Amino acid sequence: MRRTEINGIPLYWDDIPGPFTAWLLVGTGLEDEPFPRAGVTELVEQLAVAAVAVAGPGRDVDELDSAVAGDHTRFRIVGEPERAAEAVNRLCRALAGPPVDGLAGASRRVRARQEREERWEGFQERELRFRYGLRGPGRNGWEAPAVEHIGGEAVRAWAAERFTRGNAVLVLTGPPPKALDPRLPEGPRVERPVVAPLPGTSGCWVEAPHAWGERVAVSFEAPASPAGHIAVELARERALREPRVAPNLTGDVEIHSSYVGGGRMLFHLVAETDEPGVRAVADGLDGLLRELAAEGPAEEEVRRVERIWSDRLDGEEQRRTQLFVAGLDHLSGLEFLDTPILRARLAAYGPEDVRAALAAYPSTALLVLPAHCEPSEGSPFVPEPDQDGKDLHEAYVYRPKLFGPAGRHARMYLGDEGIAHWTGRCHHVVRWHQVAGVGVAEGRRVVFGEQGAVIDIAADWYKSGGDLIAAVDARAPASLRFPIGEGEPI
């Protein structure tokens, strides 16, 4: 693997057999967007891809696709090297000046994608949303404000701020073609902020969406280094042999990960089981991870994982993966490790490095179980806390105009600390310093809190409802407001 630079854009390449592939990676994604403009990254992405498609990718390249992840945006082009290079050049020109005359079509495509993906919330999305609330990694899986209301000026401003040469990287599976001349605006790499979990979330267990069946997931923080990855791979290998876990598995144990800033990764071990095996798998995964964090593994376990990794590094597919990961690591500000350096690191790690990499497990672990399942009575995990049930010290009370069955016990409380809604069954609170966004419609406000509470206010429902809306507008910054439909679901 080699590293160079072209027009101020870092470039990594390796001469790998197979179709020539070019990736343009940009270090911004769903997690970085202000909530009132959620979807703006996808608008930039869709406008750029459409601009390249109009130029004829069917004639020029074999494949052109893109995706927006939590922490990065990816464009992939496959084809004859010189033609792929020309497509990369067109793509960069479109990113430097998004053709916002196509904004209506891009909005429809983004909305269709959001609606498709909102139907599938898995273990990882559920865990991230609980752990971080409506911040950073937790923004994945939240229903976004209407992307159709984001204007061309906001799209161009976001592209100018984020889609820059310092915040991008090119990855090629062959030498840079002569035609390659990508040009992006000047700009630095955007540092990923460290997002702390919400208080009281670590050490909890939460229910996964019912549609995702009988799977158990445990997540935890570890260093974003080969030592962290070795530790998680070793935990997976041990789980597949662990008498408390293996007999209760109905499929594989998968590893998922995401970078959360500050040199830390959030790792997820996801095990397929059935309802009778849920408790055994949950207890077994947690137990073996706590043992590894306290005692470390045996030397032969570390060497076995080292051999597995070394064997992978020789494969063509793994070389492509290593190349792609080098680009992502660059965007995250992590150390560049080519294959020889990585092999040397793997050989140098021992049991104590693995134990140290898992040291944060007891304080950062979170368990996700299938719906209607619980851990065993002896489990160290506790049920998820009520993030919303905290009272305001002083507040003005707004009562419903009609005292029918739906409104007899409902109250809205508003004070200098925040706003609270009592439905008669549950209590939702959003403090003003934790407001993520305010949806605005005629006679209606929807307040979204970072910790997950959503408070819907209709002026004609409450006595002095107009005053209530005015009080919310006076306290929530204008930058957090975005338009919503009259009856748009929350």
Side-chain angles (χ1 to χ4, degrees):
M1 190 188 308
R2 306 180 194 181
R3 187 193 186 284
T4 184
E5 192 173 284
I6 182 166
N7 296 340
I9 302 174
L11 188 153
Y12 294 86
W13 68 275
D14 192 0
D15 206 350
I16 302 175
F20 180 84
T21 304
W23 287 280
L24 176 65
L25 306 176
V26 183
T28 196
L30 304 176
E31 299 171 11
D32 305 303
E33 300 169 336
F35 184 68
R37 295 196 300 280
V40 66
T41 306
E42 291 176 284
L43 289 177
V44 175
E45 167 229 3
Q46 286 295 311
L47 288 170
V49 169
V52 177
V54 167
R59 297 189 302 272
D60 294 340
V61 298
D62 300 325
E63 296 180 46
L64 168 63
D65 58 49
S66 60
V68 178
D71 60 357
H72 71 277
T73 300
R74 170 189 63 78
F75 301 91
R76 185 179 73 102
I77 299 171
V78 180
E80 190 273 328
E82 296 298 326
R83 291 183 175 179
E86 290 288 354
V88 170
N89 298 342
R90 293 196 300 270
L91 178 66
C92 290
R93 288 197 295 270
L95 291 171
V100 293
D101 53 338
L103 194 55
S107 296
R108 289 195 299 272
R109 292 191 295 275
V110 172
R111 173 55 67 187
R113 175 194 282 173
Q114 290 174 344
E115 290 175 350
R116 285 195 307 271
E117 294 178 354
E118 281 170 1
R119 299 172 189 168
W120 297 99
E121 182 188 47
F123 277 86
Q124 195 166 351
E125 291 80 8
R126 173 72 173 97
E127 185 272 341
L128 290 172
R129 193 162 74 176
F130 173 76
R131 187 186 286 267
Y132 296 104
L134 196 52
R135 305 175 303 164
R139 286 178 181 154
N140 294 311
W142 277 80
E143 183 172 342
V147 72
E148 296 84 358
H149 295 303
I150 301 176
E153 183 177 343
V155 171
R156 282 184 174 273
W158 187 251
E161 175 188 339
R162 296 281 176 154
F163 288 77
T164 63
R165 66 186 69 165
N167 203 37
V169 62
L170 271 167
V171 179
L172 309 177
T173 60
K178 293 181 180 180
L180 188 63
D181 187 28
R183 297 186 180 275
L184 289 173
E186 177 65 42
R189 180 173 62 84
V190 178
E191 297 287 343
R192 286 194 57 74
V194 179
V195 181
L198 296 174
T201 53
S202 295
C204 296
W205 68 271
V206 297
E207 283 193 0
H210 188 274
W212 275 79
E214 309 301 329
R215 300 183 189 179
V216 171
V218 61
S219 66
F220 54 93
E221 286 190 6
S225 70
H229 288 272
I230 286 178
V232 178
E233 186 75 41
L234 196 150
R236 176 186 177 274
E237 290 293 314
R238 184 177 280 197
L240 293 173
R241 304 188 310 274
E242 170 65 49
R244 295 168 291 181
V245 177
N248 294 288
L249 295 176
T250 60
D252 200 2
V253 177
E254 301 175 355
I255 297 174
H256 302 274
S257 63
S258 56
Y259 183 63
V260 293
R264 309 291 292 175
M265 299 289 293
L266 190 66
F267 287 100
H268 305 253
L269 284 176
V270 183
E272 294 187 20
T273 182
D274 52 20
E275 188 168 345
V278 165
R279 285 190 171 184
V281 170
D283 292 346
L285 283 176
D286 175 61
L288 70 88
L289 283 161
R290 290 181 188 274
E291 290 166 8
L292 285 169
E295 304 167 10
E299 176 71 28
E300 55 267 26
E301 289 183 284
V302 180
R303 301 281 71 86
R304 181 167 57 248
V305 171
E306 179 200 345
R307 288 193 296 272
I308 291 172
W309 266 41
S310 293
D311 291 344
R312 288 177 185 167
L313 293 176
D314 293 326
E316 179 182 320
E317 189 58 37
Q318 184 62 25
R319 287 174 63 192
R320 285 177 176 264
T321 300
Q322 288 295 113
L323 187 61
F324 188 82
V325 168
L328 293 182
D329 285 349
H330 173 87
L331 294 178
S332 298
L334 299 176
E335 183 182 7
F336 165 58
L337 298 175
D338 63 9
T339 299
I341 296 175
L342 180 57
R343 275 204 166 96
R345 290 282 182 87
L346 293 174
Y349 287 129
E352 180 57 28
D353 299 290
V354 173
R355 189 201 63 75
L358 290 173
Y361 175 81
S363 60
T364 63
L366 197 152
L367 183 67
V368 187
L369 298 178
H372 313 303
C373 293
E374 298 182 3
S376 65
E377 291 183 4
S379 172
F381 292 100
V382 298
E384 61 181 279
D386 178 8
Q387 296 286 353
D388 307 322
K390 298 177 181 177
D391 293 324
L392 305 178
H393 290 94
E394 294 184 17
Y396 187 85
V397 182
Y398 292 86
R399 303 171 184 271
K401 290 180 180 178
L402 301 176
F403 282 83
R408 181 177 295 116
H409 302 291
R411 299 287 188 275
M412 195 72 69
Y413 302 87
L414 187 141
D416 291 336
E417 296 173 82
I419 185 169
H421 182 210
W422 173 250
T423 66
R425 295 189 305 275
C426 56
H427 203 177
H428 305 282
V429 178
V430 177
R431 300 185 184 276
W432 297 124
H433 69 281
Q434 294 176 328
V435 174
V438 179
V440 177
E442 183 65 31
R444 181 173 176 234
R445 299 292 185 270
V446 181
V447 182
F448 295 81
E450 286 185 346
Q451 291 190 319
V454 180
I455 298 178
D456 196 343
I457 308 163
D460 59 3
W461 179 258
Y462 293 94
K463 297 175 182 178
S464 302
D467 294 341
L468 174 58
I469 294 267
V472 170
D473 288 346
R475 287 170 170 81
S479 61
L480 296 180
R481 300 178 200 167
F482 56 90
I484 57 173
E486 293 287 340
E488 191 170 290
I490 300 173

